[in-house]
Amino acid sequence: ELKDLNSSMTTPEMAKEVEVLRKDCASYTEKLERIKSATNHVTPEEKEKVCREQQLYRREWRRRKRMATELLDAILEGYPKSKKQFFEEVGIETDEEHGVALPAAV
């Protein structure tokens, strides 16, 4: 029992803790109200526009990557060295080297 009493908080400590928690709760409530009353929400039309643009950019990225790959494959047909060596000599950096991936469709 003595161990439990020694490890428990005193009344002033509890009062301080309760006050801190009330302040946190008040700030979170205020933040929630600001979020709920925000007038800068995205409209469905704006969201649709952004989604269409993203699809356009994804399509263009895929098309350009495919064209570059086909062009490099054509060059490499008669090239005596490996693809990796060719990329190093010319200074080509690939998406895979940098961990870049095509964003997922929305």
Side-chain angles (χ1 to χ4, degrees):
E1 285 182 42
L2 182 61
K3 183 179 176 183
D4 288 340
L5 288 174
N6 285 337
S7 66
S8 64
M9 296 174 82
T10 63
T11 303
E13 290 173 340
M14 287 290 253
K16 288 178 186 177
E17 185 71 22
V18 167
E19 189 61 33
V20 169
L21 292 174
R22 282 192 177 140
K23 286 179 183 176
D24 286 348
C25 185
S27 68
Y28 289 134
T29 303
E30 181 182 323
K31 187 175 180 180
L32 180 62
E33 289 303 318
R34 281 195 314 250
I35 291 171
K36 283 182 179 179
S37 66
T39 57
N40 59 352
H41 291 299
V42 177
T43 64
E45 294 83 23
E46 291 171 331
K47 182 180 177 185
E48 184 62 34
K49 180 183 175 196
V50 170
C51 289
R52 278 194 310 269
E53 286 179 2
Q54 185 191 29
Q55 287 175 346
L56 174 71
Y57 296 141
R58 285 172 43 93
R59 227 178 292 128
E60 191 65 22
W61 184 348
R62 272 191 252 121
R63 186 178 70 82
R64 289 181 184 201
K65 186 169 181 162
R66 184 176 52 250
M67 287 171 41
T69 303
E70 290 172 358
L71 179 68
L72 290 170
D73 287 344
I75 292 171
L76 287 169
E77 282 181 10
Y79 197 72
K81 297 182 182 176
S82 72
K83 185 175 187 177
K84 188 174 183 178
Q85 290 172 329
F86 174 71
F87 282 11
E88 287 175 4
E89 286 180 15
V90 178
I92 296 174
E93 297 176 351
T94 64
D95 294 339
E96 291 77 18
E97 287 176 4
H98 294 282
V100 177
L102 193 64
V106 176

